[in-house]
Amino acid sequence: MTFVRPRSLVALALAMAALVAPDRAHAQAADPKPVTPALDFSGVILGNYRYTYDDATKNANGGLATNKFDVERIYLNFRMPAGEDGSIRVTTDLFNNSISGASCVGCYAGWNLRLKYGYFQYNYLHDIGGQKGFNAIARIGMVHTAVIDHEEQFWPRWISMTSIERFGFFSSSDVGIATVVTLPKKMGEVYATIANGSGYATVENDPYKDYSARVSWTPFGNETNMLKTFTISPWYYTGHAASKFLTTAGSAGTAITDGLTKRRDGIFIGLRDRRLSVGLDWAQKVDGVDVGASIPTWSTYDNTTTLTAGWLIFRPFELFSGDDKTRSRLSVMARLDNVKPFTSATSAGVQTTSATNKLTILGLLWDLNSRASFSVDFQNLQPTNGSATVETKTLFAHWNIIF
């Protein structure tokens, strides 16, 4: 039996350590500790107290006005990087639902949680042609539609929906793909989408897709005064809606499968500043309507709805002070929407083609701090010129908390 001396064992161990040490160092350098991507979390709470006292409400409640506190929306925003030039955004919408059952599968009358935005974003072009700020990004998932989110940069969503969304032109988000091209020299942006067309509140319900685009031009984008936010935004939205006979036996190969007209277009002009915010809206929507009780008697016609709207929000003590350093927490707000729902006498029915619905919003806003704002406002939806819409009158106390 051969014995190895202790001194030889020590020498052997030192030699092996010398051979292993460089490999271990190399492994540590090649496999650094993984870094967790930064999570950007934020949110908004929209709430109100409302006192409704129109005749229809009183008649339905024994002659009494109604009142309630409500948490209208809680938006939770999650943003994270997703690889080089990539990122994700997920926005959940906690809302108070007034319906349940077959008309809202999986819902109940109370607070429900749903997805508002959820997309992957990829910045695929940078400084195109050497022009600084001339960039392009793509999004896929539940994305913004053409113009509603854009208008919400000028009008406070926590007071009311924008005119286009409130009167049912289309939803504020939808599942599809989108691209945003920002123009050089701060001249604006171009936004375009291809989406299901059913909106974020329901799943796809027909075989068609909707296409939309908006061009926002900021001619004074390089200025340092109030005009730098002046924006002119024409937009267009088109697609098709399903006929009520689409799934009926015998519809295959007929014009029924072409879909009904679904077209919207308009222009928005806005100015956004701490001292003064102004918005002007004109839009129209054209919808095809089925006629007939069966496929042999089927025909269609188009009905057009037109919308004009304008608002003004200003801080009087800042706007007229003459001192740029003056700060005031008080804002004054006024908005007027005018909607003509019918160009077709058939669609108007017992109403008239001149029927008009007017929405008036008047109020005062107060900033408690940079993240919390409150308002007292009056909102009146008034039917005129033979409209059968039911009038509503509501006094609100709104609050908006950003965190």
Side-chain angles (χ1 to χ4, degrees):
M1 182 178 293
T2 304
F3 292 93
V4 180
R5 296 181 181 180
R7 186 176 298 175
S8 300
L9 288 174
V10 173
L12 180 60
L14 290 174
M16 292 180 64
L19 291 172
V20 172
D23 291 339
R24 183 179 299 168
H26 175 75
Q28 290 175 346
D31 187 22
K33 184 178 180 180
V35 178
T36 302
L39 171 64
D40 180 359
F41 171 70
S42 62
V44 184
I45 299 176
L46 285 64
N48 64 69
Y49 169 80
R50 67 182 69 189
Y51 178 85
T52 305
Y53 62 96
D54 52 77
D55 291 342
T57 299
K58 289 181 178 180
N59 291 338
N61 292 278
L64 300 176
T66 63
N67 68 95
K68 70 171 181 175
F69 289 97
D70 192 11
V71 177
E72 182 184 355
R73 290 286 193 276
I74 299 179
Y75 295 118
L76 302 178
N77 300 308
F78 304 86
R79 295 180 173 89
M80 290 186 71
E84 184 179 358
D85 284 328
S87 61
I88 62 101
R89 174 181 174 178
V90 175
T91 297
T92 61
D93 176 14
L94 182 65
F95 70 105
N96 193 353
N97 187 42
S98 60
I99 59 175
S100 61
S103 59
C104 185
V105 177
C107 298
Y108 69 97
W111 278 271
N112 289 263
L113 187 66
R114 64 186 175 193
L115 188 65
K116 179 67 181 288
Y117 303 113
Y119 56 78
F120 169 70
Q121 175 173 300
Y122 185 70
N123 299 15
Y124 63 93
L125 290 175
H126 302 271
D127 296 337
I128 304 169
Q131 295 287 319
K132 186 174 179 59
F134 194 9
N135 304 317
I137 64 175
R139 293 170 180 164
I140 186 167
M142 189 170 284
V143 299
H144 307 85
T145 50
V147 72
I148 293 173
D149 181 76
H150 174 63
E151 288 195 20
E152 287 178 353
Q153 299 177 43
F154 298 80
W155 166 258
R157 165 64 182 84
W158 55 280
I159 300 296
S160 173
M161 293 179 178
T162 64
S163 308
I164 292 171
E165 185 174 18
R166 180 156 183 166
F167 290 100
F169 278 55
F170 47 84
S171 177
S172 55
S173 70
D174 205 345
V175 179
I177 59 175
T179 187
V180 186
V181 179
T182 56
L183 304 179
K185 300 180 181 180
K186 300 180 180 179
M187 296 297 288
E189 68 177 20
V190 178
Y191 184 70
T193 72
I194 303 174
N196 286 338
S198 51
Y200 70 96
T202 61
V203 298
E204 174 67 298
N205 50 25
D206 62 41
Y208 312 109
K209 292 292 170 284
D210 289 359
Y211 307 84
S212 65
R214 166 180 53 84
V215 178
S216 293
W217 180 42
T218 52
F220 309 107
N222 276 321
E223 300 289 333
T224 57
N225 53 39
M226 186 185 296
L227 287 176
K228 68 180 181 180
T229 62
F230 177 70
T231 306
I232 302 173
S233 300
W235 57 270
Y236 185 76
Y237 182 111
T238 187
H240 289 93
S243 165
K244 64 182 180 181
F245 297 114
L246 180 63
T247 58
T248 303
S251 63
T254 69
I256 291 173
T257 60
D258 294 338
L260 304 176
T261 303
K262 183 181 181 182
R263 186 174 70 250
R264 290 90 169 91
D265 56 90
I267 185 169
F268 168 73
I269 301 174
L271 176 73
R272 180 182 71 254
D273 186 81
R274 175 181 166 83
R275 294 162 291 176
L276 175 67
S277 180
V278 180
L280 297 172
D281 240 334
W282 177 87
Q284 67 176 2
K285 67 171 181 172
V286 183
D287 289 313
V289 182
D290 280 314
V291 178
S294 63
I295 292 178
T297 61
W298 174 79
S299 64
T300 69
Y301 68 90
D302 290 345
N303 180 70
T304 301
T305 299
T306 58
L307 162 71
T308 56
W311 68 77
L312 174 70
I313 304 172
F314 67 100
R315 299 176 188 263
F317 298 114
E318 289 190 28
L319 188 61
F320 304 116
S321 70
D323 184 358
D324 292 340
K325 296 181 180 179
T326 299
R327 290 291 180 266
S328 171
R329 299 186 180 189
L330 177 67
S331 299
V332 179
M333 169 183 60
R335 168 175 152 182
L336 178 62
D337 296 358
N338 192 80
V339 180
K340 296 187 68 174
F342 309 113
T343 56
S344 168
T346 304
S347 285
V350 298
Q351 305 177 69
T352 67
T353 54
S354 59
T356 304
N357 299 318
K358 295 183 178 180
L359 172 67
T360 303
I361 302 178
L362 300 170
L364 299 174
L365 290 74
W366 181 263
D367 295 337
L368 183 65
N369 56 41
S370 62
R371 295 282 181 167
S373 299
F374 294 82
S375 77
V376 176
D377 54 277
F378 166 72
Q379 300 192 21
N380 175 210
L381 180 62
Q382 181 183 19
T384 61
N385 299 327
S387 172
T389 298
V390 177
E391 183 176 20
T392 61
K393 294 181 180 179
T394 308
L395 288 173
F396 282 98
H398 281 102
W399 59 87
N400 180 62
I401 316 299
I402 303 171
F403 59 91

